[in-house]
Amino acid sequence: MGKIAFLFAGQGAQYPGMGKELCEASPAAAKVFAAADAVRPGTSRQCFEGTKEELTQTVNTQPTVFAVDLAAAVALQEAGIRPDGVAGFSLGEVAAVTFAGLFGLEAGFELVTARGEYMDAAAKAHPGAMVAVLGMEDEEVEALCRQFDEAWPVNYNSGGQVVVATREENAQPLIAKVKEQGKKAMRLAVSGAFHSPYMEDASRRLAEKLAGMQLGRMSLPVYANVTAQPYGEDAAGLLARQVKSPVRWRRTIQQMSEDGYTTFIEVGPGKTLSGLVKKILPDAVILRVQDGETLSAALKALQ
């Protein structure tokens, strides 16, 4: 049997009520929400009772999704399922390194809360948009971006799916250009141009924050968004760079496959990563855990 990977969900996967069933079903998950509330009071309330609008605000999205990601992972671990390695999409990478032991729970929550605040402030200082481009090769999207002032491919999600970050006024013209070529493009419901040079201030502040934190030794491989390779010695540098650098998700999953991973379990809200892995590795075993029902189904499949 091949290796098992946990994949930690990112921003955009949130939904009202997320995590409530996990908290009720798993004592380990309940401890995650208790730790979240100790650092950032009201986090579990936002997860369980927050509105869609409340959860969409970056300063709320990041700590709440982080909490549900970790709750799902520890619920699996509590049931005896341990991964051989992990990865996370954008925000999910912070959950992945916390799960692997780079931070304790409270320190992880402290960092992800600050990260959300820093990225929100950078987005307000440099208004931008993100556009998903479908049906074009990576090189075609890169060439398209060169036709605009300040447009960058930032999420290499899967074959034929790349997200572009750009200045606000470029969003509609860029979508129109894609449609002229007979392809699809849509604006994403996010509050900034994340993973682009517009996040330089957030990256700098994150580096300063990390410099004052004590980092532990990670107990299993964590594949980095920036390099698509397992973390080495410079964990703080990679985490700081990540917010202003492209997410190389397609290459990350391909690398994990080359390294022997055959079962991928998405932990946290939604099923975005499961869908991307299916496109990248059609023959992989793909499971997900976001609530009591999916936890039971995953455990049954792994027996």
Side-chain angles (χ1 to χ4, degrees):
M1 183 179 175
K3 297 177 183 178
I4 294 174
F6 285 3
L7 304 178
F8 291 77
Q11 196 162 334
Q14 67 276 0
Y15 61 87
M18 62 181 183
K20 191 170 190 297
E21 286 187 24
L22 284 173
C23 184
E24 293 168 349
S26 162
K31 287 181 181 177
V32 170
F33 288 107
D37 286 336
V39 174
R40 183 180 178 272
T43 299
S44 58
R45 182 205 62 77
Q46 285 184 332
C47 290
F48 306 158
E49 303 171 18
T51 63
K52 181 180 178 181
E53 291 72 25
E54 185 179 10
L55 291 170
T56 301
Q57 297 170 28
T58 297
V59 292
N60 297 328
T61 311
Q62 296 210 19
T64 55
V65 171
F66 178 89
V68 181
D69 282 3
L70 281 174
V74 300
L76 276 168
Q77 186 173 250
E78 183 180 47
I81 306 302
R82 298 180 183 277
D84 298 290
V86 297
F89 193 102
S90 186
L91 157 68
E93 188 168 311
V94 187
V97 298
T98 302
F99 178 80
L102 187 64
F103 310 110
L105 263 183
E106 288 79 6
F109 276 109
E110 182 185 330
L111 180 68
V112 81
T113 298
R115 183 181 187 272
E117 292 169 356
Y118 300 161
M119 291 175 74
D120 184 60
K124 287 173 178 172
H126 306 282
M130 297 183 80
V131 174
V133 179
L134 308 177
M136 295 176 71
E137 295 298 322
D138 295 354
E139 296 78 13
E140 292 179 291
V141 178
E142 290 161 1
L144 172 71
C145 288
R146 287 194 288 271
Q147 298 178 42
F148 292 87
D149 181 32
E150 298 185 352
W152 308 273
V154 293
N155 294 351
Y156 291 88
N157 289 346
S158 66
Q161 186 180 138
V162 179
V163 175
V164 172
T166 187
R167 60 200 298 180
E168 177 66 41
E169 54 268 36
N170 283 346
Q172 284 309 125
L174 192 144
I175 290 170
K177 279 272 190 185
V178 173
K179 291 181 176 178
E180 282 174 17
Q181 298 182 41
K183 307 298 182 182
K184 294 182 179 179
M186 65 192 78
R187 181 169 178 155
L188 300 183
V190 295
S191 59
F194 303 128
H195 296 286
S196 78
Y198 284 3
M199 292 292 113
E200 181 67 45
D201 288 348
S203 178
R204 176 184 52 77
R205 294 178 70 187
L206 201 55
E208 292 170 354
K209 174 78 173 175
L210 284 159
M213 297 178 70
Q214 186 169 354
L215 307 185
R217 183 172 293 278
M218 292 189 282
S219 61
L220 71 170
V222 181
Y223 286 72
N225 288 176
V226 174
T227 63
Q229 299 289 330
Y231 269 69
E233 293 299 316
D234 187 23
L238 279 175
L239 277 177
R241 283 168 54 202
Q242 190 235 42
V243 298
K244 64 175 182 179
S245 303
V247 175
R248 302 189 182 281
W249 190 252
R250 180 186 185 186
R251 182 62 204 136
T252 296
I253 298 302
Q254 290 171 334
Q255 184 62 54
M256 295 183 89
S257 176
E258 291 168 18
D259 291 346
Y261 292 84
T262 58
T263 298
F264 296 84
I265 308 174
E266 179 174 10
V267 288
K271 53 186 178 182
T272 300
L273 303 185
S274 300
L276 295 179
V277 174
K278 185 67 176 175
K279 290 178 181 176
I280 300 165
L281 300 176
D283 296 328
V285 175
I286 303 167
L287 303 168
R288 62 189 182 92
V289 173
Q290 67 172 359
D291 54 24
E293 181 183 351
T294 50
L295 174 61
S296 296
L299 292 175
K300 185 175 180 180
L302 290 164
Q303 285 178 347

